[in-house]
Amino acid sequence: MKTVLVVDDAIFMRTTIKRMLEEHQFDIIGEAANGQEAVEMYRKLLPDVVTMDITMPGMTGIDAVKAIISEHPDAKIVMVTALGQQKLIVDALESGAKDFITKPFNPEQIVQVLKNVTADSE
């Protein structure tokens, strides 16, 4: 079972992602509400994959990606973004994110992206 750290400043979105993934045999080992929490939790938990919101107060998702990748170059991070944030998606991918999901998304979409991203670590 793949372990996941869910990062989003909206508790509703964290809960939604968590439920979708748990129904598809992912193990949610942590949740973070901002980029700084995400970096700290990644260090402690070393999840197989992270879902990372791009826009959050304080440390953004992109800054968190940079911080995590600088310490853990093999980290698998999937960005979660709203429509119309193409520039931010490009920045995130250039910073080390492996893929992205655009809100609103369905369970099959998020599950498939996470399976693809973690496939090489099986």
Side-chain angles (χ1 to χ4, degrees):
M1 191 179 281
K2 296 294 182 186
T3 58
V4 184
L5 171 61
V6 177
V7 184
D8 199 297
D9 59 320
I11 191 164
F12 168 78
M13 188 54 63
R14 290 197 311 269
T15 302
T16 300
I17 292 171
K18 185 176 169 180
R19 279 197 194 122
M20 286 179 182
L21 295 178
E22 285 174 341
E23 289 173 8
H24 291 86
Q25 278 60 61
F26 285 90
D27 182 16
I28 310 306
I29 58 171
E31 295 181 43
N34 60 55
Q36 187 61 48
E37 282 182 21
V39 173
E40 292 165 11
M41 290 187 82
Y42 191 94
R43 286 180 188 134
K44 283 186 226 163
L45 302 173
L46 298 175
D48 294 317
V49 65
V50 178
T51 63
M52 179 83 69
D53 188 21
I54 286 187
T55 53
M56 294 181 286
M59 180 185 272
T60 68
I62 293 170
D63 290 337
V65 168
K66 290 176 183 174
I68 291 169
I69 293 292
S70 72
E71 292 179 31
H72 306 276
D74 296 332
K76 293 175 174 44
I77 304 170
V78 173
M79 304 310 290
V80 179
T81 178
L83 284 170
Q85 293 184 318
Q86 283 77 4
K87 166 93 174 75
L88 294 176
I89 293 167
V90 170
D91 289 349
L93 294 172
E94 288 175 350
S95 297
K98 303 295 184 217
D99 207 338
F100 67 94
I101 303 159
T102 305
K103 299 175 198 173
F105 47 81
N106 61 44
E108 293 76 26
Q109 186 181 13
I110 189 169
V111 167
Q112 193 56 55
V113 169
L114 293 192
K115 283 184 177 178
N116 291 346
V117 166
T118 59
D120 61 350
S121 62
E122 291 189 18

